[in-house]
Amino acid sequence: MYKHQLHQYISNLLLEQNLDVIGKDNNFYNRFLTNINSIEALFNELYEQHPQSPELFDQVLTHIINAYLERSCILKQKDMLKLEKLNWFLSNEITGMSLYVDRFCGTLQGLQGKINYLKNLGVNLLHLMPLFQSPEGESDGGYAVSNFREVDTRFGSLNDLKELTETLQKEDMYLMLDIVLNHTSHQHEWATKAKSGNKEYQDFFYMYPDRNIPDEFEKNMPEIFPEAAPGNFTWNEDCGKWVMTVFHNYQWDLNYTNPKVFAAMLENIFFYANLGVDILRIDAPAFIWKEKGTSCQNLPKAHTILKLIKQCVQTATPGMALLGEAIVAPNEIMKYFGTDAYIARECDFAYNATHMALQWDMLATGDTRIMLAAQHELLKKPFGTTWITYTRCHDDIGLGYDDWMIEKAGFNPYEHRKFLKEYYSGILTSSPAKGALFSVNPKTQDARISGSLASLCGLEKAIEQNNDWGIKEAIDKIVLMQAHSFFIGGVPMIFYGDEVGYTNDYSYLQDNSRFYDNRWMHRPVINWEKNKKIEIQDSIEQRIFEATRKLIALRKKLVQFSDYKNIVWISPHNIHVAGFIRTSIQKNLYCFFNFQNKTSFITWYAFKENGEKNSQLFDHWSEEKFIVGADNEYFTMAPYSFCIMEEC
Ligand code: GLC
């Protein structure tokens, strides 16, 4: 329906601000009018019944206008360039690295000195792990924020961050930061006021005088950190109330049924947008809406909030893409890209957490069938959206894909997951992997896996045993894992340290604020003497770094790796080999990955099964040419090897 009055209202608001709606601000004006119906409808879906709904809707509109007014000319120009490119983030030319500034290089200023190292590797997107104020010792790696606008002095200052963003802009690099949307630290100003009895701020959180409502909630809410933080509520002595704390007891869940919370957090989102953030990682979006009688995860209104954020951002600061960090079941992950009228209008990115875990599954079993079963779901990703693809990140590896996928491949889900947990945690002594179980739930026996890419691939054990052959195999596995995640579609996000093979760091066990959280074993402190070994021919560091560098360069060179929904899985001619085609109107790329520790054979028919007439192929990885044989002849793949073939 055309809403004349609403459009008139917006026009007047903009004119009051002296915006030039038919001149230089015309694009903004058009975006506003295009999105305002959705913004109003989504806001009403959440808050129509709230007594202060009209004034808070006005506040949201004001935040949108202010965000645009405060946006620098450079960022507005970048917005336009990105809009002209049509979904700039689908490009094959972006490769990211996720890093903790303090553990990587000390401070934000120090990071300026590492830009060359990153560029040399080929990285042009930096995900800086949370930088904003967070209490030492109660920080969850920065995900317990006590001030969304002040950089923690550990890293430097807001000014240092601004200088860094300028450098990144000059170097044509992108920036990704987090907004921790679901909760604040219990030391955030809102929480402190709530503790002191301020009713307005108590309404920012879920707070109850007795156990009645918390017990109701607990009936259906799973525990996220059952070992370190059992239960979902924490007693606060200061105000004599139970507070909802889904993650750690010092992380207080924000109450988004209160529109004031939404408006305040939207302002913070715009603050990040105007710092020059290119991709905003929305932390833990699955949890942002709670209702008794539900698991309080992935609820429809959590999606409404995200859609509303997306329409607001698209209006005022359209160059900032949104990444929903939803590490949930595959069919639930897909919904973060938007559904129905909002398909491709919610989050632009999601983590391909399912595929990440399935890569670890394939590596342990040498069998690709469960991974293939999952593709029915993963291929539903809408055009115009993309994945963050990865092998490791700062979090654990959860085996959250569906039981039916495991059953379809002929395995028993319970036994299968038990095997994987034992394989990667070192319980299975014959396994080359060295990791640990994370967040074991004593009631359900559920557990996830911690450990660095290198250690889980066997490098730590092989080095301990001085086993050159084991070291070679581990490096092959590391490169195979990275290659598969680089070429599957989406923006690859390397975890810092993995580019040179950092193994587990056990020093967290001696640290009082960290010993209870074994995710710290795979969050290394970079030793730049070790990283310098990338210059020493045949060192472990050099072999891994050069391979990673080559993978990035290949991806940048081959436009077929852009994410235009151009992946077709090849029939499983050999269950040990994952094979897909990245299609293009020019030449297809045939990507095969051997996940077993033995030689594998692929019929040459695999390169022709879609009617192609390939006679000679060039492998971009080994740089060798191959004559395509008859259908009853085979292409041979060494253990843990891969190829990227193109007709030549
Ligand atoms: C996200 C982060 C994780 C953190 C949690 C709570 O899942 O990735 O590290 O513990 O949110 O903020």
Side-chain angles (χ1 to χ4, degrees):
M1 188 175 80
Y2 175 65
K3 293 195 164 179
H4 180 70
Q5 282 161 354
L6 184 59
H7 284 198
Q8 205 57 51
Y9 185 59
I10 297 298
S11 303
N12 291 340
L13 280 180
L14 300 188
L15 291 173
E16 272 166 31
Q17 294 292 334
N18 293 326
L19 283 163
D20 181 5
V21 296
I22 51 168
K24 70 173 177 34
D25 302 312
N26 184 250
N27 277 308
F28 172 57
Y29 177 60
N30 286 336
R31 292 198 301 269
F32 217 154
L33 291 193
T34 308
N35 290 324
I36 189 61
N37 284 9
S38 305
I39 293 176
E40 190 198 39
L42 293 164
F43 185 88
N44 284 342
E45 198 177 314
L46 295 164
Y47 303 124
E48 199 165 22
Q49 307 302 328
H50 194 276
Q52 285 166 291
S53 177
E55 66 196 70
L56 282 153
F57 182 62
D58 273 352
Q59 215 179 88
V60 166
L61 299 183
T62 308
H63 291 333
I64 295 174
I65 297 171
N66 287 345
Y68 176 75
L69 288 172
E70 285 156 20
R71 197 154 178 79
S72 70
C73 291
I74 296 183
L75 290 178
K76 283 181 183 160
Q77 274 166 18
K78 271 185 84 181
D79 286 343
M80 290 317 294
L81 288 175
K82 284 177 177 166
L83 288 171
E84 276 154 23
K85 274 195 191 156
L86 188 78
N87 298 346
W88 57 276
F89 44 79
L90 305 182
S91 161
N92 57 308
E93 292 179 9
I94 309 175
T95 304
M97 180 183 276
S98 197
L99 59 91
Y100 288 96
V101 169
D102 52 344
R103 301 172 88 76
F104 185 69
C105 58
T107 61
L108 286 162
Q109 280 185 9
L111 190 52
Q112 299 259 7
K114 300 297 177 202
I115 299 288
N116 283 343
Y117 172 84
L118 296 164
K119 287 192 80 169
N120 176 26
L121 178 61
V123 162
N124 58 355
L125 159 68
L126 292 189
H127 171 211
L128 305 183
M129 298 296 292
L131 293 171
F132 292 88
Q133 269 175 16
S134 178
E136 184 90 63
E138 288 186 331
S139 121
D140 187 21
Y143 286 101
V145 182
S146 50
N147 187 327
F148 289 102
R149 309 278 182 106
E150 281 302 331
V151 165
D152 204 300
T153 47
R154 266 178 294 162
F155 309 111
S157 65
L158 189 58
N159 219 26
D160 295 338
L161 179 57
K162 287 183 179 159
E163 281 174 13
L164 180 73
T165 55
E166 279 164 26
T167 307
L168 296 181
Q169 274 159 20
K170 274 191 214 119
E171 299 285 350
D172 266 333
M173 292 173 80
Y174 297 105
L175 175 67
M176 170 161 142
L177 292 185
D178 283 81
I179 177 91
V180 186
L181 207 62
N182 179 65
H183 44 259
T184 70
S185 152
H186 73 114
Q187 291 191 30
H188 187 281
E189 193 194 346
W190 301 336
T192 334
K193 286 185 177 159
K195 281 184 208 170
S196 71
N198 183 320
K199 174 81 181 73
E200 185 179 357
Y201 286 95
Q202 290 193 346
D203 287 346
F204 270 49
F205 301 96
Y206 293 91
M207 303 184 93
Y208 306 99
D210 54 43
R211 283 297 307 184
N212 290 339
I213 297 181
D215 285 345
E216 279 292 304
F217 269 114
E218 288 286 14
K219 282 185 196 153
N220 308 81
M221 284 174 88
E223 292 167 302
I224 306 302
F225 297 136
E227 287 171 315
N232 287 289
F233 288 84
T234 302
W235 174 250
N236 182 260
E237 200 57 58
D238 298 335
C239 59
K241 290 201 166 161
W242 289 97
V243 188
M244 188 186 281
T245 53
V246 169
F247 290 89
H248 293 101
N249 56 16
Y250 50 80
Q251 289 165 306
W252 287 21
D253 286 61
L254 285 165
N255 183 349
Y256 281 90
T257 61
N258 180 353
K260 288 186 189 165
V261 171
F262 176 81
M265 290 306 282
L266 182 66
E267 232 191 326
N268 287 329
I269 288 174
F270 283 138
F271 176 76
Y272 294 156
N274 282 343
L275 281 177
V277 170
D278 297 284
I279 304 174
L280 186 71
R281 178 188 184 275
I282 300 183
D283 186 61
F287 298 85
I288 56 183
W289 193 269
K290 278 93 176 174
E291 277 168 30
K292 272 179 285 171
T294 73
S295 66
C296 297
Q297 289 184 32
N298 304 309
L299 296 184
K301 289 212 169 128
H303 290 282
T304 312
I305 294 174
L306 295 173
K307 286 174 199 150
L308 180 54
I309 293 173
K310 177 67 191 166
Q311 314 313 308
C312 296
V313 165
Q314 206 169 53
T315 303
T317 58
M320 183 171 78
L322 301 182
L323 159 63
E325 188 251 348
I327 312 299
V328 292
N331 64 331
E332 292 294 345
I333 296 184
M334 303 311 289
K335 294 182 190 159
Y336 288 83
F337 293 119
T339 45
D340 303 322
Y342 286 91
I343 287 186
R345 293 176 65 203
E346 190 172 321
C347 293
D348 305 291
F349 283 88
Y351 281 93
N352 201 342
T354 306
H355 202 87
M356 180 276 294
L358 287 164
Q359 283 195 217
W360 288 105
D361 188 312
M362 290 191 283
L363 193 74
T365 59
D367 189 320
T368 61
R369 285 174 291 177
I370 302 177
M371 182 278 294
L372 277 175
Q375 300 311 318
H376 292 286
E377 199 54 54
L378 300 179
L379 290 176
K380 291 181 190 159
K381 178 174 70 61
F383 185 89
T385 61
T386 195
W387 298 112
I388 292 289
T389 61
Y390 62 123
T391 53
R392 292 298 293 111
C393 70
H394 68 288
D395 280 331
D396 45 284
I397 303 169
L399 307 172
Y401 35 94
D402 295 306
D403 284 357
W404 68 260
M405 296 168 179
I406 305 177
E407 278 159 1
K408 201 163 172 218
F411 302 106
N412 170 298
Y414 175 81
E415 291 299 330
H416 186 73
R417 290 205 179 87
K418 184 164 174 277
F419 164 75
L420 292 176
K421 287 182 279 186
E422 292 181 353
Y423 182 93
Y424 285 117
S425 63
I427 297 173
L428 197 70
T429 47
S430 58
S431 161
K434 241 184 135 173
L437 293 183
F438 174 69
S439 264
V440 182
N441 189 327
K443 292 171 218 151
T444 60
Q445 288 312 306
D446 273 351
R448 285 112 72 182
I449 295 156
S450 282
S452 75
L453 172 68
S455 292
L456 294 179
C457 284
L459 188 61
E460 188 175 335
K461 252 195 186 172
I463 293 175
E464 276 166 10
Q465 293 166 353
N466 223 341
N467 172 352
D468 283 344
W469 175 87
I471 291 174
K472 182 197 170 303
E473 188 179 77
I475 295 177
D476 288 345
K477 286 183 182 177
I478 291 171
V479 180
L480 173 81
M481 289 290 278
Q482 294 290 41
H484 191 82
S485 92
F486 277 34
F487 299 136
I488 193 84
V491 171
M493 187 64 75
I494 302 168
F495 191 60
Y496 78 109
D498 288 348
E499 81 284 10
V500 282
Y502 271 77
T503 52
N504 293 337
D505 174 354
Y506 300 101
S507 62
Y508 76 98
L509 290 167
Q510 268 71 57
D511 182 335
N512 276 340
S513 63
R514 298 200 165 113
F515 72 93
Y516 60 86
D517 186 342
N518 67 24
R519 290 176 300 173
W520 287 102
M521 76 167 55
H522 54 253
R523 300 170 177 175
V525 176
I526 296 302
N527 166 358
W528 286 94
E529 288 307 311
K530 174 179 167 68
N531 287 42
K532 262 198 205 144
K533 292 195 192 148
I534 60 173
E535 283 151 26
I536 303 173
Q537 193 60 30
D538 286 334
S539 64
I540 292 174
E541 291 77 5
Q542 190 259 356
R543 284 149 75 188
I544 301 176
F545 187 88
E546 282 309 319
T548 313
R549 192 157 86 129
K550 184 169 174 183
L551 289 176
I552 298 175
L554 258 184
R555 197 173 167 278
K556 283 195 181 153
K557 186 174 104 183
L558 298 168
V559 69
Q560 294 95 323
F561 289 130
S562 309
D563 190 12
Y564 290 111
K565 252 183 118 58
N566 54 333
I567 180 166
V568 174
W569 285 90
I570 294 173
S571 314
H573 296 284
N574 180 333
I575 60 163
H576 308 296
V577 177
F580 52 80
I581 309 178
R582 299 302 308 271
T583 60
S584 108
I585 41 169
Q586 283 124 24
K587 286 182 180 175
N588 291 340
L589 290 177
Y590 297 81
C591 312
F592 285 97
F593 305 81
N594 180 14
F595 274 92
Q596 73 164 339
N597 61 359
K598 299 189 184 69
T599 302
S600 285
F601 302 93
I602 287 285
T603 160
W604 285 109
Y605 177 68
F607 298 87
K608 313 174 206 164
E609 68 178 16
N610 294 305
E612 304 97 319
K613 301 211 170 10
N614 296 317
S615 55
Q616 240 195 106
L617 294 164
F618 175 71
D619 174 14
H620 287 279
W621 181 247
S622 65
E623 295 169 22
E624 278 176 75
K625 272 191 185 165
F626 296 88
I627 307 286
V628 177
D631 295 353
N632 62 348
E633 292 172 0
Y634 295 92
F635 168 60
T636 309
M637 299 188 76
Y640 302 118
S641 70
F642 64 96
C643 65
I644 309 295
M645 302 272 221
E646 185 173 8
E647 194 202 354
C648 60

